[in-house]
Amino acid sequence: MCAKAYESSGGPDAGAAIVAVGGYGRGELAPYSDLDVVLVSDEGVDVGEVAGEVWYPLWDSGSRLDHSVRTMTEMVAAADADLKVALGLLDVRHLAGDPALTLRLRTTMLAHWRRGSRDRLPALRDLVRTRHELAGELAHLSVPDVKEAEGGLRDATVLKALVATWLVDVPHVELERSRGALLDVRDALQEAAGRGTDRIAPELWTDVAHRLELADARAAQVHVRELGRRIAHLSHLTWRRVDAVLAEPARIRGPRRPRMERIAPGVALSADEIVLDARARPADDPLLLLRAAAEAAERDVVLAPATAARLARDSAPLPTPWPAEARRLLVRLLASGRGLRSVWETLEETGALPAILPEWQRIRLLPHASAIHRFTVDRHVVETCVEASALIRHVTRPDVLMVAALLHDIGKGGLTEHSVAGEPIAREIAERMGFDPAAVDLVARLVRWHLLLAETATTRDPDDPATVELVVSRLESVEALDLLLALTEADARATAPKAWSSWRAGLVRDLARRVGVALHTGSTLPPIATEDVVVPPVVRAGGLSIVVDPAVDGSRVRVVAPDRVGLLADLAAMFALARIPVRAARAWAQEQYAVSVWEVGEPGLDAAVLRQRYDGVVDGRPDAARRLRPAGGAGLEPAVVVRPEASDQATVLEVRADDRPGAVYLVCAALARLDVAVRSAHVDTVGPQAVDVFYLQEASAGVLSDVRATEAAHAVRAALSEPAGS
């Protein structure tokens, strides 16, 4: 039609052409799309009279026309002035006139886009973010917009523009398959609506399903939301790669060879992506997928999709029950905060998630029955984990909190009330994960009663003793109450901003306070550690004894030495400086000697090498205080609490902080500087959090005064918080 109109107008054969741009240029017209065309000419070629002769026949045909007339120079200037114009001109297609001019135009626009891409991509990213904020996510909207929403056709077009920069790539087959399927959805939608629209109203789902030859409206919703999620995943991944490229200086010449840094067994970091290192053996290491995912999430970097897909295909299955290290890795992944979102998305899109949680399919892409929810059930669960990760300082069992957050809605989708249906499923999963019976009961109890505090606080009289008795009968312990309070807040925050208003939060916390008073039965902290050991002759002579025994996934190190203030700090530095992870430790005094047993995550340790490292720490080689200072950042603040009710023999200090090399050293060194003796210690790592209990006395023996206890707590908190260089 355009060619015939141009020919009839008497347009020149050289120096002028009609080109299609945007969706028309890509050949993606929907039934009610506009025709975006430009009459372009070389400088000095007059096409003023031709334009009118061309447009009138097109208008008379009933076509919806979006047209313009520009010279080549004006085309470049328009692209420079408007990002949307620049994107549209990347898809120039010849319609009529001089094909050589069209070819020059296309080549010029692509070259211009590539040359200026580093400067223009930040603005493009802002444009995309603004659109996402306004339009929402295709996978979660009740009335999804297949073009403008995140994961829609507009994002697919932007991805093609990012590939055109030559800075990054995207899986072409997957993108084109998803884009083509979403174009089919738009065609079916507009045919069903009888007008040009990109929004699928609820009453149109059945007709759209019929036109797409899908079973029913529910199947059509799943199909569309899955396409949106897949394109959104490709978009997130590609933009992360764009950020990594833009953070580097432009390369003048030569191939790009990213450096690989081994960061965990079988796992490496390369160009801000987690990949497998050359020594990885997926068939021999069932924990490799969890390890790679946890590292990616904690570092907030990309889990390379090819890596996840390979691990899903080639990894040995996790044994049943899971080993303790598998649980630790899962909890690290779940408690990683915002880094969880993209990694979980990659696990889903690559088919790796069933290897970790096959029950996830029950809730995948499942819409919520309540309109207050802003996400589908599966995404809501991920958001609940993200919210719960910020609350782990409030509980002693962050592993139970995070797994309960993951499973709290696992019973949805059936006819039975979801908390009732979810309890036995959660119990089975927790048992498979290898939790001890008490922890399994806690997880199941939290899933069963995860609505209890919110519903009771907003529907019952808090002053009625029966209200408190009801909650007490369901929870039975302070530990369960603390966990449920954290889960309730995380669940509400993940639902919608209004679901955790100050009014609702106040009601829930007031109820929890009343229940806590009724449940409180004294300290739940571990007792002072003690165990009679045979003191080796070398220790009686004033020396130090280190014995290493193999343990599951690591080693057990027993140290006996003459007791002194600062000994525990030096031993902790010995491990931390060698980057040997301490999973648990117990320390106690036996007569004038100090005994400590360390469970560490490094197999095959040599006692002689450890002794050399210890001697170096004592001699100040290297400077442990300088090397092990906190790195700083936006992590959770440590929780340091004096528990006066826990012991009559010592002052008890409870510390909850990030599990990182040097945390135990920082605590013990701070206490040593105050000349405070650690008479007993219980150091434990639960997921990403260290939960440590120290029984303190003055060096001359005796409980610390209130002033000294406060001073000790302040010093420990400062040591764990103050970043290096401050």
Side-chain angles (χ1 to χ4, degrees):
M1 184 167 56
C2 288
K4 184 176 180 180
Y6 185 80
E7 183 181 348
S8 301
S9 73
D13 294 330
I18 296 181
V19 297
V21 297
Y24 190 23
R26 292 188 297 274
E28 297 176 355
L29 289 183
Y32 292 89
S33 292
D34 293 345
L35 301 181
D36 293 334
V37 295
V38 180
L39 176 57
V40 62
S41 64
D42 280 326
E43 298 293 335
V45 178
D46 185 5
V47 294
E49 294 185 6
V50 174
E53 296 295 327
V54 170
W55 306 143
Y56 280 112
L58 296 178
W59 287 329
D60 291 343
S61 71
S63 299
R64 298 176 57 179
L65 190 64
D66 187 349
H67 62 88
S68 60
V69 180
R70 290 193 177 108
T71 65
M72 280 280 289
T73 302
E74 289 170 339
M75 293 288 268
V76 173
D80 282 341
D82 191 329
L83 260 177
K84 294 180 180 179
V85 172
L87 294 176
L89 292 178
L90 294 177
D91 298 303
V92 169
R93 181 165 59 91
H94 182 72
L95 296 176
D98 185 356
L101 177 62
T102 302
L103 180 60
R104 276 194 291 122
L105 174 62
R106 182 176 177 82
T107 303
T108 298
M109 299 316 303
L110 283 170
H112 198 68
W113 174 249
R114 286 169 186 144
R115 280 196 304 271
S117 59
R118 281 182 172 269
D119 296 327
R120 306 203 74 179
L121 287 182
L124 178 58
R125 174 148 205 170
D126 290 342
L127 196 66
V128 169
R129 282 176 173 162
T130 300
R131 174 167 52 81
H132 289 171
E133 290 171 1
L134 293 173
E137 296 182 54
L138 177 55
H140 303 289
L141 289 166
S142 57
V143 182
D145 187 321
V146 298
K147 183 178 181 180
E148 301 294 341
E150 182 176 357
L153 291 169
R154 188 77 75 185
D155 277 351
T157 301
V158 170
L159 284 175
K160 294 185 68 177
L162 294 178
V163 172
T165 66
W166 288 357
L167 295 176
V168 293
D169 202 358
V170 66
H172 295 278
V173 174
E174 189 174 354
L175 174 60
E176 288 307 307
R177 183 187 299 120
S178 300
R179 189 172 69 92
L182 203 53
L183 286 168
D184 291 342
V185 170
R186 186 174 67 172
D187 289 349
L189 166 63
Q190 295 195 2
E191 290 170 356
R195 59 187 176 86
T197 181
D198 298 311
R199 293 165 60 85
I200 310 179
E203 65 272 12
L204 294 175
W205 280 113
T206 299
D207 200 348
V208 169
H210 174 72
R211 294 175 186 276
L212 294 174
E213 299 182 351
L214 297 171
D216 51 26
R218 167 75 177 130
Q221 286 199 46
V222 170
H223 176 66
V224 171
R225 296 183 193 285
E226 197 153 38
L227 290 172
R229 182 168 290 184
R230 190 168 299 125
I231 292 174
H233 169 64
L234 294 175
S235 179
H236 299 159
L237 176 66
T238 306
W239 276 112
R240 294 290 288 268
R241 289 173 172 169
V242 167
D243 289 343
V245 170
L246 294 182
E248 298 177 351
R251 294 176 180 269
I252 305 301
R253 64 174 67 88
R256 187 169 184 265
R257 296 188 180 92
R259 183 175 65 90
M260 288 184 62
E261 176 191 358
R262 186 173 185 266
I263 57 175
V267 178
L269 181 65
S270 175
D272 285 331
E273 295 194 17
I274 293 296
V275 298
L276 299 183
D277 72 12
R279 291 170 286 184
R281 297 291 182 269
D284 300 328
D285 188 353
L287 306 188
L288 197 48
L289 175 60
L290 280 169
R291 191 179 304 121
E295 290 290 346
E298 287 184 334
R299 296 167 185 268
D300 196 13
V301 297
V302 171
L303 172 61
T307 295
R310 180 188 170 190
L311 290 172
R313 182 183 66 248
D314 298 341
S315 287
L318 284 163
T320 302
W322 289 11
E325 181 62 13
R327 291 195 304 280
R328 279 192 286 267
L329 290 170
L330 175 67
V331 175
R332 282 177 51 196
L333 169 63
L334 298 177
S336 57
R338 67 179 187 180
L340 173 66
R341 295 188 183 103
S342 64
V343 172
W344 199 265
E345 186 178 83
T346 297
L347 292 174
E348 280 198 278
E349 294 300 323
T350 58
L353 197 51
I356 299 171
L357 187 63
E359 292 85 356
W360 187 255
Q361 196 60 32
R362 295 175 54 95
I363 59 172
R364 189 170 190 270
L365 292 170
L366 181 68
H368 270 105
S370 170
I372 192 175
H373 280 274
R374 51 182 168 165
F375 299 119
T376 52
V377 175
D378 53 347
R379 174 65 181 277
H380 166 75
V381 165
V382 173
E383 292 299 320
T384 302
C385 290
V386 173
E387 296 290 348
S389 70
L391 303 173
I392 61 175
R393 293 291 187 267
H394 302 290
V395 299
T396 57
R397 290 299 302 265
D399 54 341
V400 170
L401 173 62
M402 297 314 306
V403 171
L406 176 67
L407 303 179
H408 77 283
D409 275 349
I410 199 68
K412 285 197 169 179
L415 299 177
T416 307
E417 203 283 316
H418 76 278
S419 61
V420 176
E423 179 183 12
I425 301 171
R427 182 178 295 277
E428 180 181 344
I429 293 171
E431 289 174 346
R432 185 174 72 234
M433 290 177 175
F435 281 99
D436 62 78
V440 170
D441 287 341
L442 267 177
V443 170
R445 190 183 298 270
L446 291 172
V447 171
R448 172 63 183 91
W449 299 112
H450 70 272
L451 300 175
L452 177 65
L453 285 179
E455 290 183 347
T456 305
T458 55
T459 61
R460 300 283 293 266
D461 179 5
D463 293 319
D464 185 346
T467 300
V468 172
E469 290 173 7
L470 170 68
V471 180
V472 168
S473 68
R474 303 292 194 238
L475 299 182
E476 299 182 357
S477 71
V478 173
E479 183 176 46
L481 174 64
D482 291 342
L483 288 164
L484 183 58
L485 179 59
L487 178 58
T488 300
E489 179 175 345
D491 186 16
R493 289 185 180 277
T495 298
K498 293 181 180 179
W500 193 248
S501 63
S502 57
W503 169 77
R504 184 179 294 268
L507 291 178
V508 169
R509 287 170 178 157
D510 179 64
L511 175 61
R513 179 187 59 78
R514 295 168 184 260
V515 174
V517 171
L519 283 170
H520 188 71
T521 56
S523 174
T524 58
L525 295 176
I528 294 178
T530 180
E531 177 185 335
D532 288 336
V533 300
V534 176
V535 179
V538 65
V539 178
R540 294 189 180 279
L544 175 138
S545 168
I546 299 179
V547 177
V548 178
D549 294 315
V552 178
D553 297 324
S555 304
R556 180 177 294 108
V557 181
R558 173 171 291 197
V559 182
V560 185
D563 196 9
R564 62 176 174 84
V565 172
L567 172 64
L568 205 59
D570 290 341
L571 292 173
M574 173 185 74
F575 292 113
L577 290 169
R579 290 296 187 264
I580 298 172
V582 175
R583 293 174 178 162
R586 291 182 302 125
W588 64 94
Q590 180 176 315
E591 299 175 348
Q592 70 268 38
Y593 304 105
V595 182
S596 57
V597 179
W598 306 76
E599 305 285 346
V600 299
E602 187 77 32
L605 293 178
D606 187 320
V609 173
L610 289 177
R611 176 57 191 263
Q612 290 175 354
R613 288 174 175 158
Y614 169 81
D615 291 340
V617 169
V618 173
D619 294 339
R621 303 175 287 105
D623 184 352
R626 181 180 60 82
R627 291 274 299 274
L628 297 176
R629 291 277 291 279
L636 300 178
E637 286 295 317
V640 183
V641 180
V642 178
R643 300 287 293 271
E645 81 286 354
S647 174
D648 295 329
Q649 307 169 45
T651 299
V652 178
L653 198 68
E654 183 181 24
V655 179
R656 302 176 196 170
D658 290 338
D659 174 37
R660 63 170 186 263
V664 179
Y665 162 77
L666 292 169
V667 173
C668 294
L671 295 171
R673 286 192 292 271
L674 294 177
D675 201 29
V676 171
V678 179
R679 292 306 181 195
S680 174
H682 296 258
V683 175
D684 197 11
T685 300
V686 187
Q689 177 169 272
V691 182
D692 305 336
V693 178
F694 300 90
Y695 287 78
L696 311 179
Q697 292 181 340
E698 298 287 3
S700 56
V703 176
L704 274 62
S705 67
D706 290 346
V707 172
R708 286 277 282 167
T710 301
E711 185 182 9
H714 177 75
V716 168
R717 190 179 298 108
L720 291 170
S721 303
E722 186 178 11
S726 61

